[in-house]
Structures are given as structure tokens and as C-alpha cells.
Amino acid sequence: MDGVEMNSIPKIVILGAGYSGIMTALRLQKELNYNEADVTLVNKHDYHYFTTQLHMTAAGTDNPENNRVSILKLIDEFKIDFVKSTVVQIRPQDRKVILEDGTLSYDYLVIALGGESETFGIPGLAEYALTIRSINSTRLIREHIEYQFARFKREPHRTDLLTIVVGGAGFTGIEFVGELADRVPELCRQFDVDPSLVKIINIEAAPTVLPGFDPELVEYGMRVLERKGVTFRIGTPIRECTPDGVVVGDGEEIKAATVIWTGGVRGNRLIEEAGIETARGRVKVDEYLRAPGYDNIFVVGDCSLVFNDEGKPYPPTAQIAVQQGVNCAQNLVACIRNQALKPFRYQHKGTLASLGKGEAIGVAFGRKYRGRTAAWMKKANDLRYLFVLGGIMLVLRKGRFI
Ligand code: FAD
């Protein structure tokens, strides 16, 4: 074990200001006394973004400004140093983090760098498919789709320009196709395109959409989306992605100028490059959220792997990331004060998936919800997060009440 011995003020470095990282920072800011620790938060952008809403930015039904908030507006700079930079290497053996423009040393490290797309080695996906992972990636998707509509007016024989393939029918894929289907009528009006020529095809290798979700709600969700014009190809693996579209199943080619891949998440590659033990980039953390073999490295959010009582890993969600952030901060404070650490216990509060404007499905408080009620519950959940993050002012600024 890599123990910690300190005489001066301990240095805590948090990598990533997504759901888990920002929550760790905000809780430390609240819990730590003056001069108890030096806390530095590193993030590649100077804003925190709401990943759970990125399907809207990508589809173009929402403005990116609604989905991000300046980190300096959330933290107290007297208590937390914010460094806008990209982490390029983690060196646990030296207790250092290498940034693109400097080096930070730490006594305690929190790795909260989020996930990356997992392509499962499917040829061409990394090169030709777009992914929904950040504000910048969603801007690209939105612009790309609009450009294909504009191109179609110059090349009207190319209906593939109006075909959008979405690989993966998990939460991200389903929420995105729901939103995209809502956007199509507006796009068609804007670019004078016949709506009947537009195709949204959601392709999933598993035998059902939203694997593991309540079958009755899945059935309802599929009917809603099909009514909006989404075509499902279930039990159909994507074999290859090419510059012209995708090859599926036994070799059938689907021509599409836009392919969005939402089929898998892995942890950040910097972790395995650091020599920390991982399974697809995610770290099987101990009950206190520490990396195996390191007393002073905590891993939270999509980079971590936590198991339920039946030994199955919890899926990576914002909900678990936020709870881990809170627990991680408590444990950092406990480490510094030489107190007992608190095991992480995930409290699953429910799952809600949007199907586009005013429609959602989900299970919460042990009950099933669908339609407008589920959509309102999802909205309430988003508002609650804003409140936890930045109080009533942030709710009013980013709550999209109009
Ligand atoms: P993130 O929130 O992804 O944050 C990682 C941070 O690290 C980012 O700020 C990033 O800029 C920064 N970073 C990354 N690399 C570097 C680097 N090298 N240097 C510096 N900074 C770096 N979950 C739910 O619970 N409910 C939902 O409804 C839901 N919907 C979703 C919809 C979509 C479209 C997507 C994509 C995900 C959704 N999720 C949902 C999953 C959820 O968003 C993630 O599980 C959650 O964001 C993970 O939080 P995190 O803190 O691990 O990472």
C-alpha cells in the first residue's frame, strides 16, 4: 500500500469537474476548515457541463449555453484553486500529475475524468462515427446533421444524406433518437426537405432496447419513438462503420451520412496508462472508493466500477457519480483528520429516460411512470441537481422555464 505521511498542509488534487469531481470539490469546500488542506481542481474546460442533457444539444433542440456553467461561479476560489488544463499523465509512483502546461504534485488524488466511448474493436467506428460526450462533440453533431440537410438540396439523389444511424439503444441512444425525431420537422422546414425522406435508424445488438429496463415501459417507449418516425433494428450488431454508413448483421450495408455511436462507455485511458489496475478502463475500487494498492488515490464516476450485493456492476450514471463525490469528500476529510473512513453505499433512487419533449419512461420510488408524468419527474430531478450545485440562482438561470 502507498501510505501517506505528511508534516505540511496536505495537497488534494481532483482531476475532472464533471458530476463526481465537482461534487467532491463542493463538499470539500464545505467540510474543510481553513488551512486544513490545499485543494486543486483541474478540468480541461472552464465550465461544468450537464452530460445528462447532451442529447438535446446534439439534436439541436437546446442551446449549449443551457447545458454548462462556469466552474468559477460554483466554487469558492479562496478555498479551491481551479486550473483549466488537460491532464496528460498520472504518475502515482511520483505522486504527480502531468498537465499539458505544467505539473502538480499531490498527497491525495481524486480521479474523476469521466468515460470515453467504447467501440469494442468494431472497425471504422472510431474514425467515422460521432459520439455524444461533451459540449464540443454535440456541437459537431448538430452542425454535421444540418450540413447534410443543406448538401441534400445540392445533391437530391443522395437520400443517404438524410439518413441518421444511431448505434446503441441504451439510455444515451434512446434519449438522443427521441430528441432528434422532435427536431426533424424543424430541420425539414428550415431546409425545405420532404420529411418522408428523413430516416432515423436505431441499431442495437442486444435483443431489446434499454437492456435490463422494465419490459412494459420499453414497449411503451418504442411505440412512442416509432410514432415519431424512429426505425429500430434490434438484435442487429454493427459489424463495421465506413465513410458511407454501416455494415450490419450478415453484411447488409446501410448507407448513412451520419452515424452516431452511443453503444458503450469505458473509463479514461489515462488510468490504465498510469499502471492502475482496470477492467475496460474502469477501476474496481475498494469500499472507500480507493484504487487497489493506493491508500491515497480515489476513483469516482464513470472511471470507477462498483458492484451491487449480487456482484453485478452498477451502470455508470450521474446519479452514482454524484453520490460517490459526496462520499469521496467525506473520506478525504476523514483521511486528513485521521478518522475512520465511511464505506460507499449506493442508494438507487430510480431511473428515468427521456423520449423527447414531454415524454419519458422510468421507475422511481418503486413505481413505474410514463408519458408527461415521467417527463416532469425527470425535469424535477434535473432542477434538484442544479439546486444542489448552485442553489436557487442556478435553478433560475439554467432551469429552462421558458
Ligand atoms: P463527467 O461528468 O463526464 O465529467 C468528466 C470531466 O472530466 C469533464 O468535465 C471533462 O471535461 C473532464 N476531463 C476529461 N478528460 C480530461 C483531461 N484529460 N484533462 C482534464 N479534464 C478532463 N446518467 C444519469 O444518471 N441519468 C441520465 O439521465 C443520464 N443521461 C445521459 C445522457 C447522455 C447523452 C449521456 C452521454 C450520459 C448520460 N448519463 C446519465 C450518464 C452520466 O452523464 C455519466 O455517468 C456522468 O456524466 C459521469 O460523471 P463523471 O463525473 O464520471 O464524468
Side-chain angles (χ1 to χ4, degrees), residues 169 174-175 177-178 181 202 208-210 213-232 353-356 359-362 369-371 374:
I174 288 297
E175 292 197 320
V177 292
N202 190 192
T208 168
V209 312
L210 296 175
F213 208 60
D214 180 88
E216 207 185 313
L217 292 176
V218 167
E219 181 59 34
Y220 173 85
M222 282 180 77
R223 268 190 282 120
V224 168
L225 294 172
E226 279 169 344
R227 264 203 311 272
K228 287 186 182 196
V230 177
T231 304
F232 288 101
S354 160
L355 304 171
E359 272 285 1
I361 45 174
Y369 296 90
R370 63 175 67 166

Side-chain angles (χ1 to χ4, degrees), residues 16-20 43-45 49 51-52 55 85-87 112-114 132 172 175 268 270 301-302 316-319 321 378:
Y19 288 84
S20 53
N43 198 61
K44 67 162 86 152
H45 313 110
Y49 55 85
T51 317
T52 60
H55 53 287
S85 187
T86 299
V87 180
L113 291 167
I132 304 175
T172 307
E175 292 197 320
N268 195 294
L270 291 174
D302 285 3
T317 62
Q319 193 181 154
K378 194 161 171 64

Side-chain angles (χ1 to χ4, degrees), residues 301-352:
D302 285 3
C303 291
S304 70
L305 208 45
V306 176
F307 294 83
N308 65 17
D309 292 340
E310 286 136 40
K312 286 195 184 146
Y314 287 114
T317 62
Q319 193 181 154
I320 194 167
V322 166
Q323 291 182 28
Q324 286 180 317
V326 173
N327 179 271
C328 177
Q330 287 169 339
N331 281 340
L332 284 164
V333 172
C335 285
I336 287 165
R337 295 181 185 161
N338 278 324
Q339 294 168 345
L341 272 62
K342 191 176 162 204
F344 175 69
R345 296 269 176 270
Y346 176 47
Q347 289 183 337
H348 182 61
K349 306 234 168 89
T351 312
L352 293 154

